[in-house]
Amino acid sequence: MTETTIGVGGAAESTDMVLNIGPQHPSTHGVLRLRLVLDGERIVRAEPIVGYMHRGAEKLFEARDYRQIVMLANRHDWLSAFSNELGVVLAVERMLGMEVPERAVWTRTLLAELNRVLNHLMFLGSYPLELGGITPIFYAFTEREELQRVMEEISGGRMHYMFNRVGGLKEDLPAGWTDRVRAVVAGVRSRMGRFDDLVLGNEIFRGRTRGVGVLSRADVHAYGVSGPIARASGVDFDLRRDEPYLAYGELADTLKVVTRTEGDCLARFEVLLGQTHNALDLADACLDRLAGLPPGPINQRLPKVLKAPEGHTYAWTENPLGLNGYYLVSKGEKTPYRLKLRSASYNNVQALAVLLPGQLVADMVAILGSMFFVVGDVDK
């Protein structure tokens, strides 16, 4: 068996073709390269090649103080900015032994779930687009605009909110903001049926995704896959329920972990849609609790120079795309000695090496899009 990289033209029937897909992502979620070995129209081997967007955030963490690293942590998954900030401030607060005000805890939980809806709406719209359906992305961006409006009102940012602070949040909520959020959440929920009708009810979409790209439970565990992709393969694990942080321990009656057992492209989309519905319910529950809390601070007063005591800790959160963890090592200075990021997309993308072989080239885009990753979250 010989192996030939083809530029223009064909090859002998006994020769495998090596095809480079990229470096780009079909729906522009980042810069990814796939090296495929083909036997006719069938994929024999697949190698995801990452690193084209590497920005060295983990090294930059070591040269920024504990207020500045929030900005760096914000950006690796640009669709989950608030959740990214949350992980790093939780790690620093744990090192400091700091208690965060109750209003900050509930507001953080609310904003994390709104950010989850924003993230999922992007993929609920862009995935059908990759399969030829253009209409859902217009609806998805309409709903995203409504949610981004209230997120921008509270933080000043549309994507990179920079609203978390060590000890709480940047500032108190604007007058009447919670009422406006409640109205937006109700409006988005009332229109979510469009995705059931337009996408899940579409026989072409179901034909392109059912039984395609099946990821087994064993491969989920082997590659450390997490989030909606893991739950679509029957791995019933969600940090919000299994190791509660923020206010999730008090939201057990509202929190529903959506799972499927099929592990195919359709199951992954269904889990994402189900999680979006549940995130809207969690947002309503947080708004109800905030309405009943007495007035009080939303952050802790911090010294001018913030130093974490010597030691190490690990904080992880259930980000929209999966597990996001920060391993923080401090030598007692105002900057981290080491801050290692465990991002969800990095592990999820590696599973393509076992997911693509045996599949048709025509199904590659359907599988790739169903993995719901952001390449900035891969390359950090």
Side-chain angles (χ1 to χ4, degrees), residues 50 54 63-64 103 110 119 147 154 196 209 319 322 331 347:
V50 303
H54 182 58
R64 304 292 188 274
R103 290 184 68 240
L110 167 63
N119 175 287
L147 287 162
I154 195 175
D196 290 291
T209 56
N319 268 31
K331 290 296 183 73
N347 290 69

Side-chain angles (χ1 to χ4, degrees), residues 2-3 15 86 107 112-113 138 255 285 291 318 343:
T2 59
E3 187 175 290
T15 304
L86 190 59
T107 307
E113 292 307 312
F138 294 123
L255 176 61
E318 186 68 45
S343 62

Side-chain angles (χ1 to χ4, degrees), residues 87 90-91 94-95 239 243 312-317 323-329 340-343:
L90 289 175
R94 185 174 295 177
M95 288 286 286
L239 271 180
E243 194 174 310
H312 60 94
T313 191
Y314 183 75
W316 56 346
T317 56
L323 298 180
N324 185 76
Y326 290 99
Y327 178 59
L328 172 63
V329 181
K340 178 73 175 73
L341 167 61
R342 188 269 189 219
S343 62

Side-chain angles (χ1 to χ4, degrees), residues 266-284:
L266 181 60
R268 290 190 277 274
F269 187 87
E270 289 176 338
V271 168
L272 205 70
L273 183 57
Q275 284 193 179
T276 308
H277 283 288
N278 187 240
L280 292 168
D281 294 339
L282 289 167
D284 268 339

Side-chain angles (χ1 to χ4, degrees), residues 101-133:
E102 188 177 15
R103 290 184 68 240
V105 171
W106 282 97
T107 307
R108 279 178 172 179
T109 310
L110 167 63
L111 294 172
E113 292 307 312
L114 293 178
N115 194 194
R116 193 179 309 276
V117 177
L118 277 167
N119 175 287
H120 290 356
L121 280 171
M122 173 62 80
F123 290 105
L124 292 173
S126 68
Y127 185 44
L129 180 64
E130 293 170 25
L131 300 180

Side-chain angles (χ1 to χ4, degrees), residues 148-157 171 174-177 180-181:
Q148 282 184 307
R149 181 165 50 81
V150 293
M151 296 291 277
E152 183 178 11
E153 179 185 355
I154 195 175
S155 67
E171 56 197 10
W177 181 80
R180 291 187 285 277
V181 174

